[in-house]
Amino acid sequence: MKIGLLYSLTGPRAEMERSIFDGAALAIHEINADGGVRGAELECAVFDDRSEVGLSVAGIDHLCGDEGVDIIVGGYTSASRVAMIPAVHAHRALLMYPTYFEGEETDHRVFYCGAAPNQYLADYLGWIASNLGRRVYVVGSDYIYPRVLAEAVQRLGGRWNVETVGNRYVPLRETSFTEVVRDIERVRPDVVVSNLVGLESTTAFYTEFHRAGFDSATLPIAATVTTPIDLEHMPPEVGDGHYMVGTYFSTIDSEANRTYRRSLLAVRGQRRAHAAQVGAYNAVHAVRLAAEVARSTDAAGIAEALLGIRFDGNPEGLPFCFRSNHYSAHPSYVGRAGGGEYDVVAEFAPRLPEPWWLSRSPLFAAL
């Protein structure tokens, strides 16, 4: 059996997406060390889209057409996912998308291995209101994920009397935040919710924020995207003490996570672990389990079998499985940055995935 891996291994997104690739590659290594798939080695074909959304589509065409794969594990940004889906349909393939994202989508050829917002943002807002303050200033990159998250903050905020007192967007890869920081100084919120995406923008904002005299004690940042990859590029005084929500942090105290971290370092040489990387790891293991029980290894057979699998080695701390809507189950955590990692300071029970939650009453039902 062969699967395709499609990531930005060069270009501006390379550092982040190489780390996600490492999660998928580790799973392939583990599967082959355990006998492969139905007694044969799990092979992979790799395509580098060079951080260009247009090349993501070319990657699907190459992997499905030239390499003959039916299953692709890949994509990071919502822009790349949306661009790839028509090509996935054209080739009658499946996309295993590893990243938590904005939801508001269902597609029978996509399996969503990361969380929908109602699985991580709802409890996070309640925690922010109780621990950091109720007047929030939202800053994000100017595309679909940050805009949907900002709308969610406004819609859900009333449940905890959270008020959005500022809302700013900047272009992707923006590195100048002078006007944003001045506006934050003017408004004086209790907390800044950061939905900035990308290493350049995230590190630039945190740095300029710190230079303006703010720190986690005077005005905490509560992020939804700032990963350990980003923290590694910040001095401790810039990043330490700020917060992040995630379905996974590397400091989760479980045997599955300790095993994962040891293997990630030993096999891939990767020290940094984060939720999207774990999503790719779980995706590959899920495909293996589905192939073991499917009547065939084509896309249709795998898709049917994926709805019945359960991967107990999930580093998140919850057995990994899919619901009938192709979304997966996840716990959520709040982490506080320190030394380039996040220490878990709060943990929430897993919630039923609701992809269309913005168009309905918010769901808070636990699994």
Side-chain angles (χ1 to χ4, degrees), residues 9 68 86 106 114-115 136-137 157 184-185 193 195 211 215 260 278 305 318-320 330 340:
L9 303 179
T106 52
V136 304
Y137 190 105
I184 291 171
E185 290 177 317
V193 173
N195 298 321
R211 286 174 179 165
D215 58 27
Y260 174 75
V278 168
L318 178 77
F320 182 76
H330 302 273

Side-chain angles (χ1 to χ4, degrees), residues 70-116:
D70 290 324
I71 318 295
I72 296 96
V73 178
Y76 172 55
T77 67
S78 289
S80 66
R81 183 194 72 256
V82 169
M84 288 189 290
I85 287 176
V88 170
H89 277 264
H91 289 282
R92 303 177 68 84
L94 294 181
L95 174 64
M96 309 292 291
Y97 182 63
T99 314
Y100 66 95
F101 72 119
E102 69 280 351
E104 300 299 295
E105 173 186 297
T106 52
D107 191 288
H108 72 279
R109 292 198 174 274
V110 182
F111 281 83
Y112 303 92
C113 304

Side-chain angles (χ1 to χ4, degrees), residues 24-62:
L26 173 60
I28 292 171
H29 171 86
E30 291 178 348
I31 288 165
N32 287 333
D34 192 42
V37 179
R38 304 171 85 175
E41 186 172 89
L42 177 59
E43 302 177 61
C44 73
V46 179
F47 187 89
D48 172 16
D49 68 14
R50 305 202 295 271
S51 301
E52 297 181 24
V53 170
L55 286 182
S56 299
V57 180
I60 298 292
D61 291 338
H62 170 76

Side-chain angles (χ1 to χ4, degrees), residues 120-141:
Y120 60 90
L121 185 62
D123 287 314
Y124 193 33
L125 279 177
W127 184 88
I128 288 170
S130 298
N131 294 274
L132 304 181
R134 300 179 189 275
R135 299 178 70 254
V136 304
Y137 190 105
V138 183
V139 58
S141 303

Side-chain angles (χ1 to χ4, degrees), residues 26 33 38 46 90 108 148 166 194 238 267 312 316 340 343 345:
L26 173 60
R38 304 171 85 175
V46 179
H108 72 279
V148 173
S194 173
V238 171
V267 176
D312 291 321
E316 291 179 348
D343 294 322
V345 296

